[in-house]
Amino acid sequence: MSTWWETARDLVFVVVGLSVAFNVRDSADRVHGFAMGTIGVSRWFTPTLVRITFGLLGAIFAVETLIGLT
């Protein structure tokens, strides 16, 4: 059983991950644009790759949160 702040933290990660995955307010494009402007990433780093990565992370945190609640 996890504490309430661990559950709240995991829920924040779930919301952020799925928000980027579903491209709410062009968040994947913003992450891509910020990374391109600051650290200069390769051509393989695309908004689609950002969405897939954040979607997987959001799903992992969702499962971890559900398991932690039981």
Side-chain angles (χ1 to χ4, degrees), residues 4-67:
W4 67 269
W5 65 270
E6 290 172 336
T7 304
R9 180 200 62 200
D10 288 344
L11 287 175
V12 167
F13 282 130
V14 169
V15 169
V16 169
L18 295 180
S19 294
V20 174
F22 293 127
N23 208 19
V24 176
R25 299 189 66 180
D26 292 329
S27 54
D29 294 323
R30 292 174 191 256
V31 170
H32 175 261
F34 176 77
M36 289 296 287
T38 57
I39 59 176
V41 293
S42 71
R43 63 185 176 98
W44 295 103
F45 185 75
T46 62
T48 303
L49 183 64
V50 172
R51 291 178 69 189
I52 291 170
T53 304
F54 274 85
L56 287 173
L57 289 175
I60 289 169
F61 273 106
V63 169
E64 180 186 353
T65 303
L66 290 175
I67 290 173

